[in-house]
């Protein structure tokens, strides 16, 4: 089907303002008289505050207030941006007398400028009773050291929490008799894989600005992915009604999931609510690294059974996840490690997925693009590659024998029916792009060896039966439209994509549509921009709202023309009576609607909760070079083919894919958060924590084999997260082919490759 605005390379609506450096971000639009808020942080991984003296700090000229755990509400809450009731435990306060990781909040200081606040921070005297921390998440479960012993710890959902065991969550999902199938399999592999915590490393750090408005309400301007959830989090933390809180989202300088946790908003909001003065908090890069959130570290034990000709019969996956000091997103990320990896091999006779999520005295984890699927796919795709090597089979051909197909029901994916899938075609296309059949898996190139590796991935499109998207569309008096959304554009271009969907529905030009950003007072409710939901979920809400608005336009025109609505046609620019040929330009019609006594305001709303979460699929093939002398790995070529349903914006979808692959290469080869034996994060700046530049990712080539998803707008599925998942297992397999050594603990460093030692 030919579309006017879908599958087109439309430029982002905010592109020019961003390129010209217009003031659009939080710190650009804060008031000049706002207080500067900073946080004193714990130097200890686990300690009890015995005494805290702020008297000297309070005497510094310009200091307005210093707050400790004695000054804040005692109710517990979670910072996780999730639909209520949140699965994440209510396990934190604004400030607590127990500190649980190096970087945990001890005191809040508010002053007229940075200089006085920095001086005051140095003058706060704290006496700690230092406790032994539990730092190794593999030793946390049932450890005598307890991370959370408070009496008012609570959960809103049954996620298998047992704080006395340091257990944040536990779950099981079983299909068939795994032990029996494994016992009767000709080939059985058992491997353990380990992925470290990764920093999201977005360009704009965490930041927020707050003030009291004319009506005495708390207004918070925040760089966040979850404006409506921030409102609830602030209500819980400050113990004030939601009706007294307004959250506004300006442009965001990146999030990648990090800003699905409300890391900083409570501190400036608390100051503003107490003092009734504007206040801002801006995290340094160091704070963003060591006192916010990261990807969950996970260890995955996998057993796989297969026939001698490579038919996978059983997969048994156990995931141990490290949520850190607090449980934000702990119970939910871990589920994706199995539910977004095992269904790729849906023809198994049996599969089992068991997980435990544990507390430790390290920085809390959170959301990061891929949200647990990235870790699980590294394990499952790696063991499938190892099976191919064990059987001396082509790993691409082995996948073609085993992967899921359209029309199947997925037991390990909540028994969803797979309505759209071109994964097998994606594999074949990727093989063609890299000339797979004419290349051996390993080639000696002289000073280096070149290897090939492949991996598949899947993700989801929104959280089915949970998250809600809403929009409001309005015809304005000059024949243009406003589109009010609650979804958060964090640089991905959803303001533009949703306008494209509306333009296609209303058969109008995209320039006729003004997209309004998020303000919780005026925007329709939306759960937020996470879980690869915006195009699929909010886009469907746009379609619904446009259908309603078109119906109202036709009905209003029928009243004005005094004919039956069935005799009216509307082509986006003209309203025509097929009965007598009378016409009205949309602009004239809109003016008439707003003229006194003749018309009415034409507004429509649309809301959507999806009963399904259609998975997008991706195939990635890595061609890497391994230096024989140093063990250094470099990506020579990376090809990928994606099934994300119908493509809405051909430019933005490609950028999403290329960016996700680059991040995945960083996870595979460079990124590695480390802690000292005292629990201090060692690599807490870009000097120590290395992410790849454009020069480090080699050639990245992307293509698409679209499917058509009936449940998505114009057949679309998601794209945002699936694209980060294939580089780690594909590169690990390519290195294995080049060197004969399988790295099972990321990142794949030169030392591990050279010395063939898979050390942590």
């Amino acid at each position: 089907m030919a579309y006017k605005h879908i599958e087109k390379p439309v430029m982002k609506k905010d592109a020019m303002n961003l390129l010209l450096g217009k003031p659009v971000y939080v710190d650009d639009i804060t008031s000049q008289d706002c207080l500067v808020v900073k946080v004193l942080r714990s130097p200890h991984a686990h300690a009890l505050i015995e005494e805290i003296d702020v008297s000297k700090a309070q005497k510094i000229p310009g200091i307005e207030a210093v707050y400790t755990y004695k000054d804040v509400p005692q109710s517990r809450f979670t910072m996780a941006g999730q639909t209520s009731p949140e699965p994440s435990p209510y396990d934190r306060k604004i400030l607590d007398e127990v500190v649980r990781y190096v970087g945990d909040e001890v005191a809040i200081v508010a002053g007229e400028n940075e200089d006085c606040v920095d001086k005051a921070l140095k003058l706060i005297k704290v006496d700690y009773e230092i406790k032994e921390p539990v730092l190794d998440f593999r030793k946390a479960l049932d450890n005598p050291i307890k991370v959370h012993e408070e009496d008012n710890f609570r959960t809103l959902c049954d996620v298998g929490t047992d704080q006395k065991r340091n257990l944040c969550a536990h779950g099981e999902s079983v299909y068939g008799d795994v032990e029996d199938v494994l016992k009767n399999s000709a080939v059985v592999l058992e491997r353990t894989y380990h992925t470290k915590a990764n920093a999201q490393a977005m360009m704009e750090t965490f930041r927020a600005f707050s003030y009291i408005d004319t009506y005495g309400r708390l207004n918070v301007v925040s760089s966040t992915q979850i404006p409506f959830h921030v409102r609830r989090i602030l209500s819980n933390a400050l113990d004030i009604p939601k009706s007294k809180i307004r959250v506004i989202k300006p442009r965001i300088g990146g999030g990648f999931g990090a800003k699905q946790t409300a890391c900083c908003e409570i501190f400036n909001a608390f100051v503003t609510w107490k003092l009734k003065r504007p206040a801002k908090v801006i995290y340094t890069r160091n704070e963003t690294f060591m006192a916010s959130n990261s990807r969950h570290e996970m260890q995955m034990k996998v057993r796989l059974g297969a026939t001698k000709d490579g038919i996978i019969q059983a997969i048994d996956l156990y995931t141990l996840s490290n949520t850190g000091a607090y449980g934000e997103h702990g119970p939910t990320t871990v589920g994706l490690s199995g539910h977004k990896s095992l269904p790729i091999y849906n023809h198994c006779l049996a599969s089992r997925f068991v997980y435990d999520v544990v507390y430790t005295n390290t920085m809390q984890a959170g959301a990061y693009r891929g949200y647990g699927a990235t870790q699980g796919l590294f394990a499952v795709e790696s063991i499938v590659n190892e099976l191919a090597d064990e059987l001396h089979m082509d790993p691409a051909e082995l996948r073609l024998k085993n992967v899921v197909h359209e029309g199947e029901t997925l037991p390990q994916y909540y028994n969803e029916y797979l309505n759209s899938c071109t994964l097998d075609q994606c594999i074949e296309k990727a093989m063609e792009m890299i000339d797979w059949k004419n290349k051996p898996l390993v080639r000696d190139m002289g000073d280096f060896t070149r290897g090939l590796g492949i991996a598949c991935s899947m993700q989801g499109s929104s959280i089915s039966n949970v998250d809600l998207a809403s929009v409001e569309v309005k015809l304005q008096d000059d024949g243009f439209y406003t589109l009010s959304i609650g979804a958060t554009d964090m640089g991905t271009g959803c303001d533009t994509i949703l306008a494209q969907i509306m333009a296609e529905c209303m058969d109008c030009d995209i320039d006729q549509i003004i997209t309004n950003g998020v303000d919780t007072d005026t925007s329709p409710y939306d759960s937020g921009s996470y879980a690869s939901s915006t195009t699929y979920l909010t886009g469907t809400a746009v379609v619904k709202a446009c259908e309603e608005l078109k119906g109202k336009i036709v009905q209003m025109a029928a009243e004005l023309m005094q004919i039956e609505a069935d005799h009216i046609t509307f082509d986006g620019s003209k309203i025509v009576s097929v009965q007598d040929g009378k016409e009205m330009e949309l602009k004239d019609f809109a003016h008439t609607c707003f003229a006194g006594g003749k018309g009415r305001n034409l507004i429509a709303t649309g809301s959507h909760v999806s009963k399904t979460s259609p998975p997008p699929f991706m195939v990635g093939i890595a061609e890497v070079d391994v230096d024989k002398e140093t063990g250094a790995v470099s990506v020579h070529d990376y090809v990928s083919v994606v099934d994300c349903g119908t493509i809405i914006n051909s430019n933005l979808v490609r950028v999403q894919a290329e960016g996700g692959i680059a991040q995945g290469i960083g996870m595979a080869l460079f990124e590695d958060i480390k802690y000292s034996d005292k629990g201090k994060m060692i690599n807490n700046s870009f000097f120590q924590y290395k992410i790849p530049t454009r020069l480090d990712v080699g050639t990245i080539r992307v293509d698409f084999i679209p499917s058509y998803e009936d449940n998505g707008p114009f057949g679309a599925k998601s794209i945002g997260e699936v694209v980060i998942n294939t580089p780690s297992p594909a590169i690990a397999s390519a290195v294995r082919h080049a060197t004969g050594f399988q790295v099972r603990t990321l990142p794949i460093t030169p030392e591990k490759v050279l010395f063939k030692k898979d050390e942590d």
Side-chain angles (χ1 to χ4, degrees):
M1 179 178 178
Y3 297 112
K4 287 186 178 180
H5 304 289
I6 304 299
E7 300 177 323
K8 299 295 187 292
V10 177
M11 187 173 74
K12 286 172 61 179
K13 282 182 168 288
D14 58 358
M16 291 309 298
N17 278 348
L18 295 177
L19 285 171
L20 295 172
K22 299 293 185 182
V24 295
Y25 299 103
V26 170
D27 202 31
D28 297 331
I29 56 178
T30 55
S31 62
Q32 296 301 308
D33 62 341
C34 66
L35 294 172
V36 173
V37 174
K38 293 194 178 186
V39 177
L40 179 69
R41 301 189 178 280
S42 169
H44 305 294
H46 198 192
L48 174 68
I49 299 174
E50 291 186 318
E51 187 175 344
I52 182 166
D53 183 358
V54 301
S55 57
K56 291 183 179 179
Q58 289 173 325
K59 294 176 183 177
I60 296 293
I63 293 298
E64 284 291 308
V66 181
Y67 300 107
T68 72
Y69 70 90
K70 301 173 185 177
D71 305 306
V72 302
Q74 296 304 298
S75 56
R76 293 195 179 270
F77 60 95
T78 177
M79 287 183 176
Q82 299 173 308
T83 295
S84 181
E86 308 96 310
S88 298
Y90 277 37
D91 56 8
R92 67 157 74 235
K93 296 190 291 187
I94 298 174
L95 298 172
D96 203 333
E97 62 184 321
V98 178
V99 289
R100 296 179 174 86
Y101 73 99
V102 175
D104 210 347
E105 295 85 11
V106 174
I108 303 169
V109 179
E112 300 291 345
N113 54 62
E114 281 199 53
D115 288 342
C116 71
V117 172
D118 288 340
K119 289 177 183 177
L121 286 169
K122 295 175 183 177
L123 293 176
I124 299 173
K125 187 176 184 300
V126 188
D127 292 330
Y128 296 97
E129 177 192 332
I130 300 174
K131 298 183 175 185
E132 186 178 351
V134 54
L135 300 175
D136 188 339
F137 78 119
R138 292 164 293 193
K139 300 176 181 177
L141 192 62
D142 296 319
N143 195 297
I145 301 167
K146 308 301 178 195
V147 178
H148 285 276
E149 297 183 282
E150 63 270 21
D151 294 334
N152 57 350
F153 177 106
R154 65 192 179 102
T155 57
L156 306 187
C157 302
D158 182 7
V159 292
T161 305
D162 188 345
Q163 68 181 114
K164 295 178 181 178
R165 301 182 61 205
N166 287 332
L167 185 64
C168 178
H170 169 82
E172 299 182 10
S173 177
V174 180
Y175 168 71
D177 190 333
V178 169
E179 296 299 335
D180 183 65
V181 175
L182 285 173
K183 183 175 65 177
N184 291 292
S185 295
V187 181
V188 177
L189 300 184
E190 183 173 341
R191 302 287 188 269
T192 298
Y193 302 91
H194 184 186
T195 59
K196 301 290 190 70
N198 299 133
Q200 297 91 338
M202 61 284 179
M203 291 179 69
E204 183 191 30
T205 62
F206 295 93
R207 55 195 60 198
F209 161 60
S210 52
Y211 59 94
I212 301 294
D213 65 18
T214 307
Y215 306 101
R217 298 173 70 230
L218 175 66
N219 287 240
V220 178
V221 181
S222 172
S223 180
T224 181
Q225 299 173 223
I226 46 162
F228 287 93
H229 293 331
V230 167
R231 183 175 64 181
R232 181 187 66 246
I233 292 164
L234 291 174
S235 174
N236 290 339
L238 302 179
D239 199 19
I240 61 176
K242 289 182 188 176
S243 60
K244 292 187 178 295
I245 303 169
R246 175 191 183 196
V247 178
I248 303 164
K249 179 216 67 89
R251 306 315 297 173
I252 300 178
F256 304 118
K259 293 171 184 175
Q260 196 190 337
T261 300
C263 295
C264 69
E265 291 89 344
I266 57 173
F267 304 116
N268 63 293
F270 177 75
V271 169
T272 293
W273 189 246
K274 293 283 283 188
L275 301 178
K276 309 305 180 193
R277 287 195 57 183
K280 71 174 179 179
V281 61
I282 296 180
Y283 276 19
T284 63
R285 182 60 62 179
N286 176 267
E287 285 178 297
T288 299
F289 269 114
M290 53 80 71
S292 60
N293 66 87
S294 67
R295 188 184 293 284
H296 286 74
E297 180 181 20
M298 293 187 189
Q299 179 175 277
M300 291 138 292
K301 296 180 180 179
V302 195
R303 292 190 298 163
L304 183 149
T307 63
K308 288 184 178 180
D309 58 352
I311 302 299
I312 299 172
Q313 297 184 304
I315 307 178
D316 186 17
L317 171 65
Y318 171 69
T319 300
L320 180 66
S321 178
N322 180 13
T323 195
Y326 300 98
E328 277 95 17
H329 301 279
T332 43
T333 51
V334 68
L336 276 67
S337 69
H339 296 311
K340 300 292 173 72
S341 60
L342 299 180
I344 290 176
Y345 303 100
N346 193 53
H347 305 155
C348 284
L349 302 176
S351 60
R352 178 168 56 197
F353 171 42
V354 180
Y355 61 79
D356 290 313
V357 183
V358 293
Y359 285 107
T360 63
N361 293 115
T362 59
M363 182 183 75
Q364 59 276 351
Y368 185 4
R369 191 180 202 169
Y371 201 80
T374 315
Q375 297 95 307
L377 283 159
F378 172 64
V380 171
E381 287 300 291
S382 289
I383 202 168
V384 169
N385 281 326
E386 293 199 53
L387 172 67
D389 293 339
E390 180 84 9
L391 297 174
H392 303 290
M393 288 185 63
D394 183 308
E397 297 295 340
L398 184 143
R399 282 176 169 80
L400 288 170
K401 284 186 174 186
N402 287 282
V403 294
V404 68
H405 291 83
E406 187 171 295
E408 297 179 15
T409 298
L410 313 179
Q412 285 289 8
Y413 192 57
Y414 320 111
N415 285 310
E416 281 203 15
Y417 176 79
L418 188 57
N419 195 53
S420 58
C421 175
T422 60
L423 179 57
D424 55 341
Q425 298 174 52
C426 290
I427 294 172
E428 292 169 344
K429 179 64 175 178
M431 293 169 67
E432 177 188 322
M433 287 171 66
I434 209 159
D435 198 21
W436 177 277
K437 292 184 178 180
N438 294 317
K439 292 179 179 178
L441 295 178
V442 57
R443 284 178 287 166
D444 190 324
M445 309 295 287
D447 293 337
F448 60 90
T449 308
R450 181 166 290 171
L452 279 173
I454 186 173
C456 299
S457 76
M458 63 174 274
Q459 198 76 34
S461 302
S462 81
I463 304 174
S464 58
N465 299 304
V466 173
D467 284 340
L468 167 71
S470 303
V471 303
E472 179 185 88
V473 294
K474 183 187 300 185
L475 176 66
Q476 299 289 356
D477 63 349
D478 202 28
F480 70 96
Y481 302 96
T482 51
L483 168 62
S484 296
I485 63 174
T488 302
D489 192 330
M490 51 181 168
T492 54
C494 80
D495 286 359
T496 306
I497 287 169
L498 296 175
Q500 285 181 255
I501 292 172
M502 182 174 178
E504 192 69 36
C505 291
M506 300 305 296
D507 201 9
C508 68
D509 192 83
I510 290 175
D511 291 338
Q512 283 179 253
I513 298 170
I514 309 300
T515 309
N516 293 325
V518 189
D519 178 334
T520 57
D521 271 7
T522 58
S523 299
Y525 180 86
D526 193 291
S527 301
S529 292
Y530 58 86
S532 299
S533 61
T534 308
T535 298
Y536 173 77
L537 195 69
T538 311
T540 304
V542 171
V543 173
K544 289 182 175 181
C546 289
E547 288 301 314
E548 181 182 331
L549 182 60
K550 283 194 294 185
K552 288 186 174 183
I553 290 172
V554 169
Q555 184 60 46
M556 186 68 225
E559 293 176 20
L560 293 173
M561 293 179 172
Q562 297 182 331
I563 58 174
E564 294 295 324
D566 291 345
H567 297 158
I568 297 289
T569 64
F570 173 50
D571 66 359
S573 60
K574 287 182 180 180
I575 298 164
V576 180
S577 167
V578 295
Q579 185 174 339
D580 55 18
K582 290 181 181 179
E583 295 183 356
M584 289 183 72
E585 296 287 340
L586 179 63
K587 183 175 181 179
D588 297 330
F589 169 76
H591 281 303
T592 303
C593 287
F594 283 86
K598 292 186 178 180
R600 56 182 173 268
N601 202 5
L602 296 184
I603 303 173
T605 60
S607 297
H608 187 60
V609 176
S610 180
K611 297 184 182 300
T612 64
S613 178
F617 294 91
M618 175 183 175
V619 176
I621 298 179
E623 192 169 29
V624 307
D625 295 336
V626 181
D627 190 292
K628 293 179 180 178
E629 187 172 348
T630 67
V633 179
S634 59
V635 178
H636 172 70
D637 193 9
Y638 198 97
V639 303
S640 65
V641 184
V642 185
D643 162 23
C644 58
T646 300
I647 292 168
I648 303 296
N649 187 307
S650 55
N651 273 352
L652 296 181
V653 74
R654 188 170 298 278
V655 170
Q656 284 284 301
E658 292 173 350
I661 291 166
Q663 284 182 305
I665 291 171
M667 178 180 178
L669 296 178
F670 304 104
E671 301 178 44
D672 187 10
I673 288 179
K674 294 179 180 291
Y675 287 90
S676 72
D677 58 4
K678 299 293 185 182
K680 182 178 181 181
M681 188 182 292
I682 296 170
N683 41 1
N684 56 12
S685 78
F686 282 128
F687 287 109
Q688 293 85 23
Y689 188 85
K690 301 300 182 184
I691 62 173
T693 69
R694 185 64 188 84
L695 299 177
D696 299 313
V697 296
T699 300
I700 295 175
R701 295 186 283 142
V702 178
D703 208 340
F704 301 88
I705 303 288
S707 60
Y708 189 90
E709 175 52 54
D710 291 337
N711 297 306
F714 299 99
K717 298 188 285 190
S718 73
I719 182 69
E721 294 182 275
V722 68
V723 291
I724 198 173
N725 297 330
T726 59
S728 290
I731 290 171
S733 182
V735 170
R736 159 77 175 258
H737 293 145
T739 66
F741 179 65
Q742 179 80 36
V743 177
R744 301 189 182 100
T745 299
L746 297 179
I748 305 167
T749 62
E751 292 80 8
K752 292 176 184 176
V753 173
L754 189 63
F755 299 113
K756 292 182 168 54
K757 185 178 180 183
D758 192 22
E759 59 189 6
D760 291 348

